[in-house]
Amino acid sequence: MKNLIQRTVFVLSAIVTFSCGKTTTISSNLELTGTWKLESIVQESDTIKKPNPSKGAMDIVLNFKEKGELEGTTSTNFLTGFYETAQQNTIQIGGGGTERAETPWGNLFINALPNVNLYDLKTNQLVLYYENNNQMIFSRMQ
């Protein structure tokens, strides 16, 4: 009986998964997995470079973990959340953290992150696209 229930659940799960007509969602991307540091932001063709570190400010870092988990630091705070990739380099990022005493650089990042919808991986470089082809450009940390 237990075996029959397990098989039924498996078959129903497979039917729901493959009959929805949506793109297949991947919970994580092994090439994306790792730690990335924000180097610049491109908004409306203007490139904003990472400022020199101010006293007490951290680098802005995203750590894409396996199973879709996301951790990071803003200029003064920490964040946790999730990410989900799908076909054609689409990505969805969600989560949150505190926004106390953010720097202008940190605020640019925090305001852009929820709007990210595409990504591009190059050798040791990650570009996250948001709002009309604006970009956040990251370098891979070793």
Side-chain angles (χ1 to χ4, degrees):
M1 181 68 171
K2 184 178 179 181
N3 194 15
L4 179 61
I5 292 172
Q6 288 175 334
R7 284 184 184 176
T8 303
V9 168
F10 174 78
V11 169
L12 289 175
S13 297
I15 290 170
V16 168
T17 300
F18 295 111
S19 66
C20 291
K22 292 183 178 179
T23 59
T24 304
T25 300
I26 305 165
S27 62
S28 67
N29 179 322
L30 293 180
E31 292 176 352
L32 182 61
T33 303
T35 305
W36 301 87
K37 179 170 56 171
L38 183 60
E39 299 293 342
S40 61
I41 296 176
V42 178
Q43 290 184 336
E44 299 174 13
S45 300
D46 292 330
T47 300
I48 305 161
K49 299 264 186 201
K50 176 179 75 171
N52 291 329
S54 60
K55 186 177 180 182
M58 300 180 278
D59 281 329
I60 294 177
V61 173
L62 288 177
N63 182 7
F64 292 89
K65 301 171 103 180
E66 292 183 23
K67 298 181 183 176
E69 296 175 4
L70 180 68
E71 294 179 344
T73 57
T74 66
S75 57
T76 58
N77 295 288
F78 296 95
L79 63 90
T80 59
F82 70 91
Y83 71 99
E84 192 171 69
T85 60
Q87 294 174 354
Q88 299 175 337
N89 290 2
T90 60
I91 187 169
Q92 178 182 4
I93 296 176
T98 59
E99 296 182 21
R100 293 182 68 193
E102 269 312 329
T103 65
W105 176 245
N107 282 326
L108 282 172
F109 169 74
I110 288 170
N111 291 331
L113 193 62
N115 300 311
V116 168
N117 57 3
L118 293 171
Y119 72 96
D120 186 23
L121 279 170
K122 300 175 182 171
T123 305
N124 295 321
Q125 185 182 59
L126 168 65
V127 180
L128 297 178
Y129 294 92
Y130 67 100
E131 297 175 351
N132 300 322
N133 210 30
N134 292 334
Q135 305 169 24
M136 290 190 289
I137 302 169
F138 292 79
S139 62
R140 185 180 292 276
M141 295 179 69
Q142 300 302 332

